Amino acid sequence: MTSPSRREFVVHREPINRHGRIIVVSGPSGVGKGTVIRRVLEQVPDLALSVSATTRPMREGDIAGTSYHFLSQQEFEVGIQDGIFYEWARYKNNYYGTLKRTVAERTATGKDIILEIDIQGARQVKSLAPNAVLIYIQPPNFETLEKRLRGRATETERAIRERLAAAIDEQNSVEADYAGHYVITNDNLDACTNLLITIISAERHRMIRPEPEN
Ligand code: 5GP
């Protein structure tokens, strides 16, 4: 037997250098996912946030083109027909959707991209991109979620009740939707932020399966 040689030993290029992952972050309204994501973006290099399109009215603090691309219902429906959306969903009588262009740009810019979208969108991405990483942020308990929602002075009682009912439905589908993916609890902002950063760091080392072109 010839002796093993150094030439036969393949050191693999770490997947960390191959950017362009889709990271989908979902969770009930009021769980604090926006704050967690903002902190993660400040700390993790080569990571961008997808700007979705929506037909919901602008809220105080929203910036057109940064928070969302704000479209009329008609513009959105034409967009659906023209196939401009990677995924889209109706959420409380408004349309929300991720633009195909935005997802395509992730490879051009070489950055991983976070999609902060609802669970209906997460399901679509899971079937479109088998390597997408799904992360669900849950509150530590119902009372905390209710308190956080009530703390937002902008919501009407009816809106709060609707959001809580939606959160219960979502919470009950997590086991089925997130098998093989991640669920984290936002009990403490720093801990939750660090956990999300840890998941993204670990995912950057995971060898991916070849994906069909979208
Ligand atoms: P908000 O109106 O509070 O900004 O968002 C309402 C919900 O819509 C949130 O759960 C948010 O994650 C979700 N959402 C935002 N953009 C998209 C999108 O592009 N696609 C889908 N499916 N959901 C979205």
Side-chain angles (χ1 to χ4, degrees):
M1 190 188 148
T2 54
S3 60
S5 103
R6 199 194 298 177
R7 269 179 294 131
E8 294 166 307
F9 187 88
V10 180
V11 177
H12 295 280
R13 193 156 77 90
E14 286 203 37
I16 196 163
N17 297 321
R18 277 182 250 139
H19 296 293
R21 292 163 193 80
I22 298 179
I23 299 157
V24 180
V25 180
S26 307
S29 175
V31 79
K33 51 186 188 302
T35 311
V36 172
I37 290 171
R38 215 176 318 118
R39 289 189 166 204
V40 168
L41 288 166
E42 281 165 12
Q43 295 179 53
V44 178
D46 298 326
L47 187 63
L49 180 64
S50 160
V51 178
S52 294
T54 186
T55 57
R56 83 143 161 75
M58 282 182 81
R59 287 190 206 128
E60 208 189 314
D62 275 339
I63 303 167
T66 300
S67 317
Y68 284 103
H69 301 291
F70 291 94
L71 304 183
S72 69
Q73 178 150 334
Q74 200 199 355
E75 285 169 332
F76 203 103
E77 285 171 353
V78 169
I80 295 172
Q81 274 166 18
D82 291 347
I84 68 164
F85 293 109
Y86 182 67
E87 64 72 36
W88 63 270
R90 273 188 84 86
Y91 180 91
K92 300 202 304 99
N93 287 326
N94 286 304
Y95 286 114
Y96 291 83
T98 306
L99 295 160
K100 275 187 188 161
R101 176 167 44 89
T102 306
V103 176
E105 275 166 12
R106 85 194 150 107
T107 17
T109 59
K111 286 184 175 182
D112 293 340
I113 192 167
I114 292 192
L115 271 49
E116 184 197 334
I117 62 177
D118 82 332
I119 203 162
Q120 305 173 68
R123 287 184 193 125
Q124 293 174 52
V125 175
K126 194 164 76 166
S127 61
L128 287 166
N131 284 299
V133 185
L134 269 53
I135 302 158
Y136 184 79
I137 306 185
Q138 66 175 357
N141 51 52
F142 183 80
E143 289 71 27
T144 307
L145 187 68
E146 185 172 19
K147 212 166 107 189
R148 286 191 194 150
L149 281 172
R150 290 193 187 284
R152 288 182 182 176
T154 51
E155 307 277 336
T156 63
E157 180 60 28
R158 187 163 162 214
I160 291 170
R161 282 172 191 232
E162 277 174 10
R163 285 177 191 270
L164 287 172
I168 294 169
D169 286 346
E170 262 187 45
Q171 201 67 27
N172 290 333
S173 71
V174 163
E175 259 188 45
D177 286 323
Y178 284 81
H181 291 269
Y182 299 94
V183 176
I184 62 179
T185 306
N186 187 13
D187 202 358
N188 169 288
L189 189 55
D190 285 339
C192 188
T193 304
N194 288 336
L195 204 44
L196 191 49
I197 292 171
T198 304
I199 292 169
I200 294 169
S201 309
E203 284 294 327
R204 286 183 167 180
H205 291 269
R206 186 161 66 91
M207 299 292 273
I208 60 162
R209 296 184 199 99
E211 263 182 31
E213 296 280 317
N214 290 311

